[in-house]
Amino acid sequence: MTSIKKIPNVLGTRRSNTLDQERDQFEKLQEASFRKAVNDEEVPVKMKHVRTLIIGTYTDKNAELFWRNVNLCPPINTDVMAWKFCHCLHVMFRDGHPSVLRDSQRHLQRIHDTGQHFQHLTHGYGRLIKCYCILLSTKLNFHQHHPRFPGTLSVTPEQLEALAENDANNYFGLAVEMLEYMECILNLYEAVFASLDPSRANSMTRSGQCRLAPLIPCIQDSSCLYDCIVRILFQLHKVPSKSNPTIPSLPTDMLGGHRSRFYKQFQQLQQFYNNTRNLQYFKGLIQVPALPKDAPNFLVEAELGSHETPVVVVEEQPDLGDTSDTLLIDTSDPEPPPIPPHPHHLHHHNGLAEVVAERESLVEALRMEVEGLRVEVQQTRSQAAHAEDQFRLRINDLESTIAELDSELVAERQSKDSIMAQVEAAAASAEAVTRLAQEETRRRSAEEKFVKMKDVYQKLREEHIGLIRGKAELDKLLAVEREAHTATKRAKDEAEEAVAQMQVKAAADSQTHLTATQRATQERDEIRQQLSAAITEKDQAAQEIIALHNTISDLKDKMDTLVIDSSAKLAAAEEDWARRVEACVVAATERADAGVMHALGHFDEETHRDIKCTPDYTLTYQTLIKSSLVPLTGVYTAYSSNRHTAQDLIKTVVATGQYVAAFLLYAKAASHASPNIEIAENLVSGLEEFARGCSDVFRRICKKETFNITPLIEQFERCCSLVSQCEDRSPGEEDVAAVLQREMANMETAIMEASKRFTAMLESSRAKDSGTQLEVNESILGTCGDLMEAVRELMLRASELQQEVVNAGKGGASPREFYKRNHRWTEGLLSGAKMVALACQALMAAADQVVGGKGKFEEVIVASREMAASSMQLVMSSRVKADRGSQKLRQLSTAHKNLAALTGTLVATAESCRDKVAVAETLDFSKLSLHHTKRMEMETQVKVLETEQQLVTERARLAELRRHHYKLAGEMEGWDDPDSGPWEMQ
């Protein structure tokens, strides 16, 4: 039977609809693309055909046409076609229209049957197809259970939290499904690599590439799954369950299976990425992400801040020669030669091609926009992580500050307890405290007796009040009885009237009325008796009240007598206490005076002349003596007006005597080491005058006379000045401590200048720039400003740690002698400080050039990395002699981690800004002709070759510069000197 297609259109008057022709051509294009993508040639799937199929899903907004082509061209003819069909279907699930996943749910059985059909093959693609079909079925089931997940599985942490509704139960189930999904991907990877030869040499052959090509979407899925699983497991360890909100998080034992399963998959996934990264085939197609060396510890919540989302970048896959076109044979019925198209139809065909091209360009533009949005989302995530790290570091600093304040408070309390112990010991020597305590006990016993008498009076008063209230109740009861008596009398009258009436009415009832009258008479007598008893009780109560009043009066008289006696005894005790307090003050003052004069008496002893002391150690008493001399006048004045402040005066006098005596001995020992005899003699005479002045002040305190402490403080300052001049400074020898302090000051100055310069440049850029340039300048300068603040913090912590090391290690020596003895360590600190200052200046210059449009972003990157290296040198130099448990060392390490994080942020910001500028400066090639395009392509290739050669040259130059720098540093530090040993370690 002749087909309708073979009947020539001889009429030519009726034309089919243009839309129908476009639809027919679109369906033919989709069918041809499917045949070309899924063929039996053992080569990788050509992505241009898959992109055509993806565009078809977006055109129809469904996958019906794709599955119709699958029915027309069954992919189970050969194992190669089935393998390429699975690859194509995987890409469609990821990049196709969102309805592709929903429409493919009905064809899940077909995918399962395809895997069952080839699972019995012992060679070729049998096992690979089985694993791939299991993976695709798992992906469809996952998206069926969680339809809000996109096909690419790429979600932000906020979207992931919304998908799980921040519920531990939902997180738990989602983690199980994602771990199963990841296990299917890893099984497919192991099957593919097991099918290759051990050397992976066939990875560059067509057949090897055909097996390896589906691993690209597997890498994309696994990277997103890894990020989601890590965040879910962190949330499981801290998110409460909606069913039981009182539980803070799931028990760690319950999550042990999740953790062990994840750690096993982490090792396999790391091996997967390493193996694919080393293959030459993947280097031009995809940038495989790098996982961290160690798996995250989910029991430590802070590690979530250091988690980085792995980013996969897929390059445009090159299309080899379309050899599949020659292999496709049309087996359909032959058609007659086509009738030449009408010009109007030809116009429509050209219009269709233009529409298809426009759609392809639109899809590419949308894809580029999506990639840009992904980059922005990634930057936002990194900025959020950075802000979280900043807040966490601030919290740690505040906690450390609180700990320091607590330790200082404990130290102050211990100092107070020790001083109180000294005062109590001094008072015990005079036996004043014991007697004072006895008098205090007597006074307290008198007060207790007074309180007891007062309590007895209070009880008697309450009993009196109770009796008065009882009398009032008796009066009420008497009034009630009287009313009852009146009522009885009224009832008796009524009864008599009733009896008279009854007698008139009936004589028979007279006996009854008589009985009632007798009963009433008895009741009246009883009431009278009760009334008499109540009156008697009232009289007794009145007598008792009078007796109680007399007792109270006697108790009041006794109490007044006791109060007068107690007041007299208390006044006598107070006078005795005041005398004893004055005796304690006089004893403490005389003891302090004796200590000062005893120290002054050692000046002329022969045994003391051989003792020497450093001026630095002697001057440690400067602050202590000032802190005791300055408040001495105020404490003495307060004692003169109130004897209860004698404790403060005793503590101040005792401390002053001890500190002054020690200072006199150490200052005299420091004069022995002075090379200038005149300064030593002046110091000795000044010390003698100072000692006599202190003795005079102590005597005036004993005699209760006023004194002026200002001349004594001035004399002490002159002595301290003379002590500082007693240091032995050899001529021509530079003070290493002064040099180090100068370099640290220079570094601080450089940091301050750089910070101010960055602020000025940012204000200038905001005033004159706009758009992309303003955004770039704000990003670079803002990050540089934060980095300068971090460098300033690092310098402050390094100075504090250096001071702690010097104070802990110098002993009785001066800081200069300590630095001289540890010259290697000092030179390392000097070198580190210089390098940090130079790095700050280099970063400021590079940022200035970039903001001005004259520099390169690479200079900022290099300067920031140099900043990280120089700060690391300063940190390592500071850690050499620091105590491992030092709080200052931990603060320095925290500051360095913050600096390293900001350095990485600056590098990432510079690279991002460089990309933005590059995108902003992209040329418009739409108006170039074919000849101009080819010429510019060749020129660009020439520039690429020149740049590569320049890169090789610059790297060789960098290596030579590093060797030369190392050589110069060795000569300066004396590394080649055989007599000089390594740095002194503690």
Side-chain angles (χ1 to χ4, degrees):
M1 182 178 178
T2 306
S3 176
I4 297 178
K5 293 182 179 180
K6 296 181 181 179
I7 300 175
N9 188 3
V10 296
L11 298 177
T13 56
R14 294 177 62 98
R15 306 283 184 182
S16 61
N17 195 336
T18 303
L19 296 177
D20 295 339
Q21 291 179 356
E22 291 180 357
R23 182 64 186 178
D24 292 340
Q25 187 172 0
F26 171 71
E27 292 180 356
K28 289 180 181 178
L29 178 62
Q30 290 290 312
E31 182 180 354
S33 298
F34 181 79
R35 291 178 180 273
K36 293 177 182 180
V38 183
N39 54 32
D40 57 354
E41 185 179 2
E42 196 170 2
V43 294
V45 177
K46 293 181 174 58
M47 298 310 297
K48 66 178 182 179
H49 304 315
V50 180
R51 284 195 295 269
T52 303
L53 297 176
I54 293 173
I55 293 174
T57 60
Y58 279 95
T59 302
D60 291 346
K61 295 183 175 56
N62 56 57
E64 297 295 335
L65 181 58
F66 173 79
W67 286 105
R68 196 188 312 160
N69 292 329
V70 173
N71 294 329
L72 293 175
C73 307
I76 61 174
N77 294 334
T78 63
D79 55 350
V80 176
M81 291 182 63
W83 176 250
K84 297 173 75 172
F85 165 72
C86 291
H87 183 194
C88 179
L89 189 60
H90 194 178
V91 178
M92 292 283 293
F93 288 166
R94 282 186 52 82
D95 301 330
H97 193 271
S99 60
V100 172
L101 293 169
R102 183 176 63 255
D103 296 339
S104 300
Q105 299 291 339
R106 299 191 297 271
H107 303 276
L108 186 61
Q109 187 61 36
R110 175 187 288 273
I111 299 174
H112 179 71
D113 294 340
T114 303
Q116 294 293 330
H117 181 75
F118 289 97
Q119 69 176 349
H120 303 292
L121 292 179
T122 58
H123 63 281
Y125 292 87
R127 180 167 175 254
L128 305 184
I129 295 173
K130 175 63 177 177
C131 294
Y132 213 160
C133 290
I134 294 175
L135 172 60
L136 295 177
S137 301
T138 304
K139 184 175 180 64
L140 284 177
N141 291 330
F142 177 79
H143 287 286
Q144 184 180 10
H145 296 159
H146 307 283
R148 296 170 63 184
F149 269 92
T152 58
L153 299 175
S154 178
V155 294
T156 62
E158 294 78 11
Q159 293 174 346
L160 182 62
E161 184 175 347
L163 289 171
E165 298 178 356
N166 201 22
D167 185 9
N169 297 325
N170 297 339
Y171 278 128
F172 192 89
L174 188 59
V176 173
E177 296 187 17
M178 285 191 171
L179 288 172
E180 293 178 354
Y181 194 168
M182 179 71 79
E183 187 173 355
C184 294
I185 294 176
L186 296 175
N187 291 337
L188 178 60
Y189 144 71
E190 292 178 353
V192 170
F193 271 74
S195 66
L196 301 176
D197 63 278
S199 63
R200 311 284 190 266
N202 55 357
S203 63
M204 294 307 296
T205 61
R206 293 289 185 91
S207 60
Q209 293 176 0
C210 182
R211 300 185 183 192
L212 292 172
L215 295 182
I216 294 177
C218 291
I219 293 174
Q220 293 175 298
D221 282 354
S222 62
S223 64
C224 297
L225 283 175
Y226 168 77
D227 180 59
C228 293
I229 291 172
V230 170
R231 296 187 183 278
I232 288 173
L233 289 181
F234 271 113
Q235 291 294 333
L236 276 174
H237 286 77
K238 68 176 182 178
V239 175
S241 173
K242 284 186 177 180
S243 61
N244 194 357
T246 59
I247 301 178
S249 61
L250 296 180
T252 56
D253 296 339
M254 184 183 295
L255 301 175
H258 282 52
R259 292 194 299 271
S260 59
R261 191 175 183 184
F262 170 78
Y263 291 148
K264 180 180 178 182
Q265 291 185 1
F266 177 81
Q267 299 294 333
Q268 295 176 344
L269 187 62
Q270 199 171 41
Q271 184 181 6
F272 177 24
Y273 288 170
N274 293 335
N275 290 337
T276 53
R277 190 184 298 108
N278 295 329
L279 292 179
Q280 185 65 29
Y281 171 66
F282 289 103
K283 291 185 178 179
L285 299 179
I286 187 173
Q287 294 182 7
V288 182
L291 297 182
K293 183 178 180 181
D294 299 324
N297 186 3
F298 302 108
L299 301 179
V300 180
E301 184 180 353
E303 288 198 11
L304 179 60
S306 61
H307 169 67
E308 295 183 0
T309 303
V311 180
V312 181
V313 180
V314 179
E315 306 292 343
E316 184 68 22
Q317 298 188 17
D319 292 325
L320 301 176
D322 194 1
T323 59
S324 61
D325 296 345
T326 60
L327 298 177
L328 293 175
I329 301 175
D330 189 5
T331 58
S332 62
D333 295 336
E335 296 183 0
I339 301 175
H342 193 270
H344 179 69
H345 290 176
L346 181 62
H347 174 71
H348 282 290
H349 288 306
N350 295 334
L352 177 60
E354 292 177 358
V355 170
V356 173
E358 183 178 357
R359 288 178 179 175
E360 290 183 354
S361 62
L362 180 59
V363 170
E364 291 297 330
L366 292 175
R367 182 170 296 174
M368 293 296 292
E369 185 177 357
V370 169
E371 292 297 333
L373 292 175
R374 287 179 182 175
V375 173
E376 291 180 0
V377 170
Q378 196 67 26
Q379 293 177 355
T380 305
R381 289 180 182 175
S382 63
Q383 292 176 0
H386 171 67
E388 184 179 356
D389 293 338
Q390 291 290 333
F391 288 128
R392 187 177 291 107
L393 291 175
R394 179 59 179 167
I395 291 172
N396 293 336
D397 292 339
L398 293 177
E399 290 178 352
S400 62
T401 304
I402 293 172
E404 291 178 359
L405 293 177
D406 291 340
S407 62
E408 291 179 0
L409 180 60
V410 171
E412 290 294 334
R413 287 178 178 174
Q414 292 177 354
S415 176
K416 177 183 177 182
D417 294 338
S418 63
I419 294 173
M420 289 296 295
Q422 293 177 3
V423 173
E424 291 176 358
S429 62
E431 297 182 356
V433 175
T434 305
R435 297 180 181 179
L436 182 63
Q438 293 176 355
E439 293 298 330
E440 184 68 19
T441 303
R442 294 175 184 173
R443 186 179 63 82
R444 288 180 179 176
S445 62
E447 289 181 355
E448 290 176 356
K449 290 180 181 179
F450 174 74
V451 171
K452 289 180 180 179
M453 293 177 64
K454 186 177 181 181
D455 292 339
V456 170
Y457 168 73
Q458 189 69 25
K459 290 180 181 179
L460 292 174
R461 183 173 178 275
E462 290 177 355
E463 292 178 358
H464 181 211
I465 293 173
L467 292 174
I468 293 174
R469 290 178 179 175
K471 176 179 177 300
E473 291 177 357
L474 290 175
D475 292 339
K476 290 181 181 179
L477 182 60
L478 181 61
V480 171
E481 293 296 336
R482 286 177 179 176
E483 290 178 358
H485 176 69
T486 304
T488 304
K489 185 177 181 181
R490 189 182 304 111
K492 186 187 75 170
D493 296 337
E494 292 177 355
E496 289 178 354
E497 293 177 359
V499 168
Q501 293 177 0
M502 291 297 291
Q503 287 177 355
V504 175
K505 292 181 179 179
D509 295 334
S510 61
Q511 187 66 31
T512 304
H513 288 289
L514 181 61
T515 304
T517 303
Q518 292 176 355
R519 187 181 301 111
T521 304
Q522 292 177 358
E523 291 179 355
R524 183 188 63 184
D525 295 337
E526 290 177 357
I527 291 172
R528 286 178 177 177
Q529 292 176 1
Q530 293 177 357
L531 179 60
S532 300
I535 293 171
T536 303
E537 291 179 357
K538 176 182 176 183
D539 295 337
Q540 292 177 356
Q543 293 176 1
E544 291 178 356
I545 291 171
I546 293 171
L548 289 174
H549 278 297
N550 297 329
T551 303
I552 291 172
S553 299
D554 295 340
L555 290 175
K556 284 184 177 180
D557 296 337
K558 292 180 180 179
M559 184 176 64
D560 294 338
T561 304
L562 289 175
V563 168
I564 294 171
D565 295 341
S566 299
S567 300
K569 292 180 179 179
L570 182 61
E574 288 181 352
E575 292 178 358
D576 190 15
W577 174 80
R579 288 194 301 272
R580 296 182 184 278
V581 167
E582 291 179 359
C584 289
V585 171
V586 171
T589 308
E590 290 177 350
R591 184 66 186 87
D593 187 15
V596 172
M597 299 310 295
H598 178 71
L600 185 62
H602 280 73
F603 280 16
D604 298 332
E605 293 185 3
E606 294 293 337
T607 55
H608 190 267
R609 294 180 180 178
D610 298 332
I611 300 176
K612 294 183 180 180
C613 181
T614 60
D616 292 337
Y617 184 78
T618 304
L619 292 178
T620 56
Y621 283 90
Q622 182 176 4
T623 305
L624 297 175
I625 294 176
K626 276 189 175 181
S627 62
S628 60
L629 283 177
V630 171
L632 185 59
T633 303
V635 173
Y636 178 71
T637 303
Y639 167 75
S640 300
S641 58
N642 185 7
R643 291 294 187 270
H644 291 281
T645 60
Q647 182 180 0
D648 297 335
L649 180 60
I650 292 173
K651 289 192 295 184
T652 305
V653 169
V654 171
T656 303
Q658 292 178 353
Y659 295 151
V660 169
F663 175 75
L664 292 174
L665 294 176
Y666 287 123
K668 184 64 170 62
S671 67
H672 298 160
S674 175
N676 193 332
I677 300 176
E678 183 179 357
I679 294 177
E681 293 177 353
N682 293 335
L683 175 59
V684 171
S685 61
L687 292 174
E688 293 175 352
E689 184 179 353
F690 175 63
R692 287 191 293 271
C694 292
S695 177
D696 181 65
V697 170
F698 291 149
R699 292 191 183 95
R700 287 180 178 274
I701 292 176
C702 293
K703 296 178 181 179
K704 298 182 182 180
E705 297 178 358
T706 59
F707 57 87
N708 186 9
I709 202 68
T710 303
L712 187 61
I713 296 176
E714 294 176 354
Q715 179 63 26
F716 174 68
E717 292 291 344
R718 287 193 293 270
C719 292
C720 291
S721 176
L722 292 173
V723 169
S724 63
Q725 298 176 14
C726 290
E727 184 176 3
D728 186 10
R729 292 184 179 272
S730 301
E733 182 178 356
E734 187 177 10
D735 188 356
V736 183
V739 174
L740 182 60
Q741 294 298 328
R742 185 172 66 252
E743 289 299 331
M744 297 297 285
N746 293 338
M747 182 176 68
E748 183 178 4
T749 303
I751 294 170
M752 293 294 293
E753 292 178 356
S755 179
K756 293 179 181 179
R757 179 59 179 165
F758 284 137
T759 304
M761 287 190 290
L762 182 58
E763 295 297 333
S764 177
S765 176
R766 288 175 178 173
K768 67 179 181 180
D769 296 330
S770 62
T772 303
Q773 185 65 30
L774 178 59
E775 183 180 359
V776 168
N777 293 347
E778 286 184 344
S779 301
I780 293 293
L781 295 177
T783 310
C784 289
D786 296 338
L787 184 59
M788 288 300 105
E789 293 297 330
V791 173
R792 183 187 301 173
E793 180 70 16
L794 179 68
M795 182 271 298
L796 178 61
R797 299 305 176 190
S799 299
E800 293 177 353
L801 180 59
Q802 169 199 351
Q803 186 65 32
E804 182 183 79
V805 170
V806 173
N807 293 335
K810 69 181 182 180
S814 63
R816 173 174 172 270
E817 294 175 353
F818 176 80
Y819 287 124
K820 183 178 181 181
R821 184 171 63 247
N822 301 276
H823 65 283
R824 289 288 184 184
W825 178 69
T826 306
E827 290 171 359
L829 286 177
L830 285 172
S831 178
K834 292 179 181 178
M835 293 303 294
V836 171
L838 292 175
C840 290
Q841 295 176 359
L843 180 61
M844 180 177 64
D848 192 8
Q849 293 293 328
V850 168
V851 171
K854 300 178 182 179
K856 301 178 180 179
F857 289 97
E858 287 77 7
E859 296 178 355
V860 176
I861 295 174
V862 172
S864 61
R865 290 174 177 172
E866 183 65 24
M867 175 69 71
S870 58
S871 63
M872 174 58 73
Q873 179 182 354
L874 180 60
V875 171
M876 295 306 295
S877 301
S878 300
R879 290 177 60 183
V880 169
K881 286 196 169 293
D883 187 6
R884 298 307 178 207
S886 173
Q887 180 69 21
K888 303 296 183 182
L889 178 59
R890 288 195 292 269
Q891 293 177 359
L892 178 62
S893 301
T894 302
H896 178 256
K897 290 180 181 179
N898 185 20
L899 176 63
L902 287 175
T903 304
T905 303
L906 180 58
V907 172
T909 303
E911 292 177 352
S912 175
C913 293
R914 179 184 61 190
D915 296 339
K916 286 183 180 180
V917 173
V919 171
E921 295 178 356
T922 302
L923 297 178
D924 185 11
F925 300 119
S926 60
K927 298 182 181 180
L928 295 178
S929 63
L930 177 61
H931 176 71
H932 289 168
T933 304
K934 185 63 178 179
R935 187 186 66 183
M936 293 184 67
E937 181 181 356
M938 295 177 65
E939 292 177 353
T940 305
Q941 291 178 355
V942 171
K943 290 181 179 178
V944 168
L945 294 176
E946 291 177 352
T947 305
E948 290 177 351
Q949 182 60 33
Q950 186 179 1
L951 178 61
V952 173
T953 304
E954 292 297 330
R955 282 179 175 171
R957 182 183 179 189
L958 177 60
E960 291 295 333
L961 286 173
R962 285 178 175 173
R963 281 194 289 269
H964 185 63
H965 177 265
Y966 184 78
K967 180 180 179 182
L968 292 177
E971 293 176 356
M972 181 178 296
E973 301 293 337
W975 296 344
D976 297 334
D977 187 4
D979 297 333
S980 62
W983 281 19
E984 298 176 0
M985 305 294 289
Q986 57 179 4

